[in-house]
Amino acid sequence: MASVTSLSDSVQQHLASALSATLPEAAGADPLLRRSDRADFQANGILALAKKAKANPRELATRVVSQVVTGDVIEDVEVSGPGFLNITIADRAITQNLAARYADDTGRLGVPHAGQPGTTVIDYAQPNVAKEMHVGHLRSAVIGDSVVQLLEFTGETVVRRHHIGDWGTQFGMLIQYLDEHPHELDHKESEVSGEEAMSNLDRLYKAARKLFDSDEEFKTRARRRVVDLQAGDPRTLAMWQKFVDESKIYFFSVFEKLDMEVRDPDIVGESGYNDMLAETCRLLEESGVAVRSEGALCVFFDDIKGPDGNPVPLIVQKSDGGYGYAATDLSAIRDRVFNLKANTLLYVVDARQSLHFKMVFETARRAGWLNDDVHAVQLAFGTVLGKDGKPFKTREGETVRLVDLLDEAIERASAVVREKAQDLSEEEIAERGTQVGIGAVKYADLSTSANRDYKFDLDQMVSLNGDTSVYLQYAYARIQSILRKAEGARPSAHPELALHEAERALGLHVDAFAETVAEAAREYAPHKLAAYLYQLASLYTSFYDKCPVLKAETPEQVANRLFLCDVTARTLHQGMALLGIRTPEKL
C-alpha cells in the first residue's frame, strides 16, 4: 500500500506552486502553513517574502490567491489581516483522504516511512545486577521503549541495548560470600518467580555487606576476588554469571509487568566491553586525546570547570590502573559505531548524568569515532516527584520499589474498571485493570516532555477525566461498542456528503497522524504523540456529542459516521501502541 499524502502536504504543494507562479524568485520558499482556529489552515509565509521583494504584503497575498488551484483539495482561500492566507479544505477531500488511510491493509494508516532511514542504537532500561529496580528506573524503560516503537514504525533499523550494571568492585564481595556459602542461590523449585529471585539476591547482598563491614579478613578476600574477576578467572566468572542469571529472572518479570519486550541478546552490560578497555585507553593516549595526569589517564576540556574554577577532567583510567565508567562508555561507542554500524547513538539516561555524557561524546569526537555522519544524543529525562514536589520516596524515606508502584497502579485501575464494568467477568476485570493501570503509569510519564520532572499522582493517573490514558482507552472502547451495536450498518466513506464542523475538525486531526508520528520520531518526543492522541479523543468526544451516529438522518450518513468512528479508533489504537499502551476492546 502506498503512503497517503496528508492534506497539509497537499495544501503546501498547492501554495508552493502558486507562490513560484506569482514570484519566480520565491520558488522553494516555505509558505509557513499551520492549523488555525480562523480557518482549517493559515499560511503566514507571505509577510517575509513581501519584505524581501519590497512588495506590499496584502497585495502580494491577493496575487498569490489568484494563482491557487481550488476545487480538488482547497475549497476556498482568502487574504486576512496584513497578508495571511486563510485556507478551507473541501469536505470531499477530507473524506477521501481518510478513506485512503482506512484502505491501507498494512495497518499503517497510510503513514510513510522516513526518507533516509539509518541505524540507531538506543541505550535504555539499564537496571543493576543484584539490585532491586526502583522508581528511578521507570523513565528510562518507558521512554526508551516508546522511542524504539516510533523509530521502527518510521522505518529506522533499531538496535536495542540494555547497558546493565554487572561489573565492578561490589561483585568481589558477593562472589566471595557465595564461594563461602555455596547454596545461597540454589533453587528448590524448577520455576522461580522474579520476586523470589530478587529476595534471594537481596538476602545474600545484605549478608555479604554485613560481613564485609565487620570482618577485615573477609574484606581482604573479597578485594582479591575483584582482581580474579577482572583477570577472567573461570571459577570466579562462573559465580559472577550466577548473579547475572538470577538478576535476569527478576528483570524479565518486571519488564513483563511493564508490558515491555526485553530480549536476552539485547542485554549487553558493562562486562560486555571489558576486553576493549585497555585498547580504548591506548588509542586515546596514542592520539593525544587523553594525557597522563598524576598517574591517571585524563581528557581535559576548556569549557568544563568545577566549582573551584579548575578544569574537571574525564578520568578514563585511574592511577591504580582501574577503569571507570568513562572507559566502558567509550568502548561501547567504539562497538556501536564500528561493529553495529550505527549512524545514531541514543542514550535514554537521567539528566543528572548530562555532564558525564557531554564529556564522553566530546572525547569520542576528538578521537574521530563520532563525526558528521555518526552522532550521539543523550535523551536526558527529569526526576519522578511525589505529590509534595520532592523526589519520590516512601514514608520511611526509602526509594520506592518499582514493582510496588506498578502493583498499586494496577489495583487502583482495577477498582475504576470494576466500578464502570457492565458485562465483564472477574478475569476480564483483572486483565483490563492491568492494561489500564500500566497504561496510566506509562502515559503520565510519556505525556510530560522527557526533560521535565513530573509528579507521580496515582489518583490523577487513573482518573476518567482529563489528560490520562484511561480517558483515551475509554474513547477507544466506546467506539468499539458503537461498531458492535451497528449490526447491519457497515462503515463506508461517502465523499459526496457535506460534513458537520465537528466531523471536519475530527477528520482533519485524524489526517495529521502521519506528520505527528514523523515529528515525534525525528525529535525523540513521545509527548508530542501523547498530546495528539489526547486531542484526538477530545475531538471524538465532541463529535459524538454533536453528531448522532447510529441515528443519523440517512443510511449514507450512518455509514460515513461509522467510518469516521472506525478510522479514529484505528488511529487511537496505533498511536497508543507506539506509546506501549494497550487499548482494550471493552471497558
Side-chain angles (χ1 to χ4, degrees):
M1 168 80 196
S3 57
V4 177
T5 304
S6 58
L7 291 165
S8 63
D9 283 348
S10 298
V11 172
Q12 186 98 5
Q13 287 159 15
H14 277 69
L15 290 180
S17 308
L19 274 173
S20 55
T22 312
L23 208 64
E25 64 268 32
D30 187 351
L32 297 181
L33 192 67
R34 59 179 183 84
R35 288 298 307 278
S36 162
D37 44 11
R38 297 214 165 75
D40 294 332
F41 291 99
Q42 191 173 63
N44 305 341
I46 288 180
L47 299 178
L49 281 173
K51 198 172 175 186
K52 219 167 158 186
K54 298 191 172 41
N56 174 319
R58 244 192 108 86
E59 211 171 274
L60 180 61
T62 311
R63 281 166 54 206
V64 171
V65 168
S66 69
Q67 296 285 349
V68 173
V69 177
T70 56
D72 57 346
V73 175
I74 298 175
E75 171 115 334
D76 185 43
V77 51
E78 52 187 42
V79 181
S80 122
F84 301 134
L85 299 186
N86 281 348
I87 296 144
T88 305
I89 303 292
D91 287 357
R92 167 181 290 279
I94 295 175
T95 306
Q96 280 172 335
N97 239 43
L98 295 187
R101 295 192 180 287
Y102 190 69
D104 180 354
D105 49 16
T106 63
R108 291 181 60 81
L109 296 157
V111 177
H113 284 104
Q116 267 130 1
T119 297
T120 295
V121 175
I122 175 167
D123 187 326
Y124 69 108
Q126 311 102 342
N128 292 314
V129 165
K131 287 193 184 157
E132 185 96 60
M133 286 176 74
H134 55 77
V135 65
H137 290 113
L138 178 68
R139 298 207 73 186
S140 175
V142 169
I143 295 167
D145 186 52
S146 178
V147 172
V148 168
Q149 307 301 332
L150 278 162
L151 291 175
E152 288 188 324
F153 190 70
T154 54
E156 185 77 1
T157 299
V158 179
V159 180
R160 310 158 189 220
R161 278 291 174 264
H162 308 293
H163 189 87
I164 64 172
D166 64 355
W167 206 243
T169 49
Q170 79 276 17
F171 283 101
M173 172 185 93
L174 294 171
I175 291 166
Q176 188 58 34
Y177 186 85
L178 186 62
D179 195 17
E180 295 173 17
H181 304 78
H183 300 297
E184 285 292 302
L185 288 181
D186 291 355
H187 295 154
K188 293 173 188 62
E189 307 294 324
S190 56
E191 282 289 304
V192 60
S193 73
E195 263 316 281
E196 289 167 303
M198 193 61 238
S199 77
N200 281 341
L201 289 163
D202 197 42
R203 192 184 62 245
L204 193 148
Y205 189 88
K206 285 178 177 151
R209 183 88 243 177
K210 197 173 163 191
L211 200 56
F212 187 84
D213 292 340
S214 62
D215 182 335
E216 280 303 317
E217 288 177 5
F218 176 76
K219 190 180 270 190
T220 306
R221 293 197 298 277
R223 290 201 165 131
R224 264 204 306 265
R225 219 53 206 247
V226 180
V227 180
D228 293 343
L229 179 65
Q230 289 175 340
D233 168 56
R235 192 156 166 271
T236 302
L237 278 176
M239 272 188 280
W240 165 81
Q241 191 63 48
K242 274 190 165 178
F243 284 98
V244 175
D245 293 342
E246 193 79 5
S247 298
K248 281 183 179 177
I249 297 172
Y250 162 70
F251 296 157
F252 284 127
S253 73
V254 178
F255 289 125
E256 194 175 339
K257 187 164 278 196
L258 263 173
D259 196 13
M260 262 177 63
E261 181 196 40
V262 168
R263 304 176 299 218
D264 202 42
D266 301 334
I267 299 176
V268 183
E270 294 164 350
S271 63
Y273 307 100
N274 217 25
D275 298 346
M276 300 173 70
L277 301 177
E279 193 185 7
T280 295
C281 292
R282 183 177 63 74
L283 290 168
L284 291 171
E285 193 168 6
E286 284 175 3
S287 61
V289 172
V291 293
R292 292 278 164 192
S293 171
E294 294 171 32
L297 186 62
C298 304
V299 182
F300 288 92
F301 309 88
D302 295 337
D303 58 339
I304 299 173
K305 296 186 170 59
D308 55 3
N310 292 328
V312 177
L314 181 69
I315 299 172
V316 187
Q317 190 179 22
K318 299 175 210 159
S319 54
D320 65 3
Y323 301 105
Y325 288 129
T328 310
D329 286 334
L330 286 161
S331 299
I333 287 177
R334 286 175 52 216
D335 177 58
R336 292 164 187 189
V337 172
F338 299 110
N339 296 337
L340 300 175
K341 306 281 186 256
N343 313 98
T344 306
L345 307 180
L346 185 58
Y347 293 79
V348 188
V349 183
D350 190 318
R352 286 171 291 199
Q353 312 243 2
S354 293
L355 179 61
H356 169 76
F357 278 102
K358 183 180 174 189
M359 291 158 83
V360 165
F361 295 164
E362 177 54 33
T363 301
R365 263 195 294 277
R366 291 181 189 177
W369 305 333
L370 297 176
N371 52 40
D372 292 346
D373 302 321
V374 185
H375 66 290
V377 185
Q378 182 193 0
L379 177 47
F381 55 82
T383 309
V384 181
L385 308 174
K387 285 187 192 179
D388 57 1
K390 297 185 175 132
F392 199 23
K393 298 268 193 270
T394 63
R395 289 207 179 96
E396 298 73 43
E398 300 283 316
T399 310
V400 181
R401 294 172 67 218
L402 184 51
V403 176
D404 293 343
L405 195 92
L406 299 178
D407 285 342
E408 194 184 339
I410 291 168
E411 204 177 301
R412 295 281 188 94
S414 300
V416 171
V417 173
R418 173 169 281 112
E419 207 176 294
K420 296 279 286 186
Q422 282 151 5
D423 53 351
L424 298 180
S425 67
E426 276 303 309
E427 200 180 327
E428 287 174 315
I429 289 173
E431 184 201 13
R432 307 295 147 81
T434 302
Q435 294 180 345
V436 171
I438 296 299
V441 170
K442 287 184 175 182
Y443 187 84
D445 194 317
L446 295 170
S447 57
T448 310
S449 166
N451 57 10
R452 288 177 46 205
D453 301 341
Y454 79 96
K455 283 187 186 168
F456 195 92
D457 179 350
L458 273 176
D459 295 325
Q460 169 54 35
M461 287 181 193
V462 298
S463 159
L464 296 171
N465 306 316
D467 188 1
T468 64
S469 71
V470 195
Y471 175 68
L472 302 180
Q473 286 167 322
Y474 266 103
Y476 179 80
R478 175 194 275 172
I479 299 175
Q480 296 308 325
S481 163
I482 293 169
L483 293 171
R484 282 193 297 272
K485 283 182 195 149
E487 287 170 357
R490 297 181 69 79
S492 67
H494 286 272
E496 73 282 0
L497 293 177
L499 298 176
H500 183 282
E501 67 181 281
E503 292 177 291
R504 293 178 52 85
L506 176 62
L508 284 165
H509 193 68
V510 168
D511 191 64
F513 179 61
E515 59 215 59
T516 306
V517 167
E519 184 183 1
R522 192 170 56 244
E523 297 176 12
Y524 312 126
H527 70 280
K528 293 199 167 174
L529 177 58
Y532 167 88
L533 294 169
Y534 173 59
Q535 200 184 348
L536 180 63
S538 307
L539 288 167
Y540 179 77
T541 304
S542 159
F543 154 78
Y544 180 79
D545 291 344
K546 293 174 182 159
C547 304
V549 177
L550 299 176
K551 294 192 170 136
E553 288 166 20
T554 64
E556 290 75 21
Q557 197 171 41
V558 171
N560 199 56
R561 285 183 178 167
L562 281 171
F563 151 72
L564 263 178
C565 288
D566 202 6
V567 75
T568 301
R570 290 180 189 191
T571 306
L572 269 173
H573 172 75
Q574 181 59 70
M576 295 287 268
L578 294 174
L579 298 180
I581 299 174
R582 304 269 172 185
T583 37
E585 301 287 307
K586 268 186 188 174
L587 271 177

